[in-house]
Amino acid sequence: MGGRTRAVGLAALLIALNGCRSVQSTFQSHGPAARSIAGLSWFMTILFLIITLVMWGLVGYAFYRRRGSLAEHEPISVTGGQAWIAIGGIAVPLLVLGVLFVLGLQLLRDFPIHGMHGAGKHSQMQYTMKPEIRIIGHQWWWEIHYLNDEPSKQFTTANELHLPVGRPVNIEVETRDVMHSFWVPALHGKVDLIPGQPNYIRLEASQAGEYEGQCAEFCGEEHSRMRLLAVAQPQSDYQAWLAGQRKAGAEPTTADAVEGQKIFLSGPCAMCHQVRGTIAGGRVAPDLTHLASRQLIAANSYKNNDAYLEAWITHAQSLKPGAEMPNLTQFSGEQLHDLVAYLRQLQ
Ligand code: CUA
């Protein structure tokens, strides 16, 4: 009983802590594509409810109707009622499935998911623009490239996708290892990340907010911790965010952070991670140039604070077993403190 009370308390606490963000539900839509998908889902749910009710009504009628005597029913017609089999067994299912098929095709036409080339000339939302963002799936995190014709304006980040409100954004999705599936339920349906086959999705958020996303294709042991956060911002905030992210990593100013940078650049961190503006140029792990600006770490699995960063550096394999990040236990307590001080000022 005590255990259950604690569990309920913990669940309530978790809900309270996450209160500021939208839960991952297809019925909480914050974009035109998600709204259409939710509309179709509700239509299907209600339609099937009605059909189920009618069916049970007929079953009830058959069960409780007055049966009468044998004499009343003679002569029994063996061909009678066949029309009802054709209606109930063929015509009604064909009609229902046909309507859903057409509605589904319409939705795909309005909000195409695969292929810039795949969107036909009748599409209301033609893919005429180049992708603005390229998302690359890894076991188990999201690499996010903000593309631009001017190379100096391109940058890379991870796990936190920023979008402008009220404007569709073309996104190309790829994977470097196994299949993943990109899914932000509040904004759109799922799109698969397939090796060697770039796919496309057009995301539009109609309200500013933070929308949680999740890899939706089983991709290994840490599939459930392959999460992301989509942050939809008003245009001016978005531009300010872009400008901030384009900058090189902040130079440390405090003594602790200066020491931490030395440890970062001379130790194993720089082999895998990049901090633009330094010699740390690793590309196999998330870009940390603006790590401190992100809300969460480990593909949005843990809070981005001193405690979790220290835990992540020393015990990543406990927080996310199987991840590429090793347990780095070689640092002294002071070195660890300095390293985190450096990471925390990478705004
Ligand atoms: Cu990536 Cu599941």
Side-chain angles (χ1 to χ4, degrees):
M1 196 62 199
R4 180 185 283 182
T5 316
R6 259 201 305 280
V8 170
L10 187 64
L13 180 71
L14 286 174
I15 290 166
L17 285 174
N18 284 306
C20 50
R21 269 184 226 116
S22 82
V23 292
Q24 290 182 107
S25 163
T26 42
F27 291 109
Q28 288 194 9
S29 42
H30 296 275
R35 247 191 310 280
S36 290
I37 292 169
L40 184 60
S41 304
W42 277 118
F43 176 74
M44 280 169 65
T45 307
I46 292 165
L47 184 68
F48 290 142
L49 265 176
I50 292 170
I51 292 170
T52 307
L53 281 176
V54 168
M55 206 190 74
W56 280 109
L58 290 173
V59 168
Y61 170 73
F63 195 74
Y64 288 111
R65 81 197 162 107
R66 201 179 72 86
R67 285 177 177 73
S69 69
L70 202 54
E72 279 175 58
H73 282 288
E74 272 187 306
I76 292 169
S77 153
V78 285
T79 54
Q82 285 194 349
W84 283 108
I85 294 174
I87 291 169
I90 298 171
V92 172
L94 266 182
L95 181 74
V96 169
L97 295 177
V99 166
L100 290 179
F101 182 63
V102 170
L103 289 176
L105 285 183
Q106 215 170 357
L107 197 116
L108 276 176
R109 189 201 62 183
D110 291 345
F111 304 103
I113 272 189
H114 297 283
M116 296 281 191
H117 23 265
K121 58 178 182 291
H122 302 297
S123 170
Q124 291 170 10
M125 303 183 95
Q126 281 185 51
Y127 281 125
T128 48
M129 289 189 291
K130 286 186 287 187
E132 282 180 57
I133 300 171
R134 178 178 296 127
I135 297 179
I136 299 171
H138 295 269
Q139 283 172 314
W140 293 277
W141 59 283
W142 308 89
E143 180 180 341
I144 307 175
H145 295 272
Y146 282 77
L147 309 174
N148 202 297
D149 286 337
E150 287 177 52
S152 65
K153 289 189 169 174
Q154 298 195 6
F155 65 88
T156 306
T157 180
N159 303 320
E160 197 175 290
L161 174 71
H162 285 241
L163 299 166
V165 167
R167 173 172 78 75
V169 176
N170 289 326
I171 298 175
E172 184 183 278
V173 295
E174 288 172 25
T175 170
R176 286 284 180 271
D177 37 55
V178 299
M179 276 182 75
H180 304 274
S181 183
F182 174 86
W183 191 32
V184 183
L187 301 181
H188 209 314
K190 301 167 184 173
V191 60
D192 283 346
L193 280 61
I194 299 166
Q197 161 68 52
N199 276 334
Y200 300 89
I201 187 167
R202 176 174 269 197
L203 282 192
E204 180 175 347
S206 36
Q207 290 145 286
E210 289 169 1
Y211 309 117
E212 289 200 22
Q214 166 75 46
C215 177
E217 177 91 39
F218 181 71
C219 55
E221 55 189 312
E222 290 302 317
H223 155 72
S224 66
R225 290 198 190 91
M226 186 168 170
R227 301 153 63 101
L228 79 155
L229 186 66
V231 180
Q233 298 172 297
Q235 189 62 31
S236 55
D237 292 2
Y238 178 64
Q239 290 302 333
W241 179 82
L242 286 178
Q245 296 286 314
R246 282 174 189 140
K247 289 183 189 146
E251 274 303 311
T253 49
T254 67
D256 290 356
V258 168
E259 205 49 47
Q261 187 187 41
K262 282 187 200 146
I263 296 164
F264 186 92
L265 297 179
S266 60
C269 315
M271 309 272 277
C272 299
H273 292 282
Q274 172 167 239
V275 174
R276 280 173 274 134
T278 73
I279 57 160
R283 299 297 184 98
V284 298
D287 184 300
L288 301 182
T289 310
H290 297 286
L291 172 71
S293 74
R294 306 206 279 264
Q295 300 186 29
L296 297 134
I297 61 165
N300 276 27
S301 303
Y302 299 103
K303 289 205 154 135
N304 187 1
N305 59 26
D306 289 7
Y308 272 120
L309 278 172
E310 286 191 10
W312 180 249
I313 292 166
T314 54
H315 291 87
Q317 291 303 313
S318 305
L319 294 174
K320 200 164 174 176
E324 295 281 351
M325 174 80 185
N327 287 346
L328 300 175
T329 49
Q330 62 267 57
F331 303 119
S332 71
E334 200 176 336
Q335 285 174 320
L336 188 61
H337 165 85
D338 293 345
L339 193 51
V340 169
Y342 171 61
L343 294 174
R344 294 281 282 160
Q345 54 88 59
L346 290 173
Q347 277 294 336

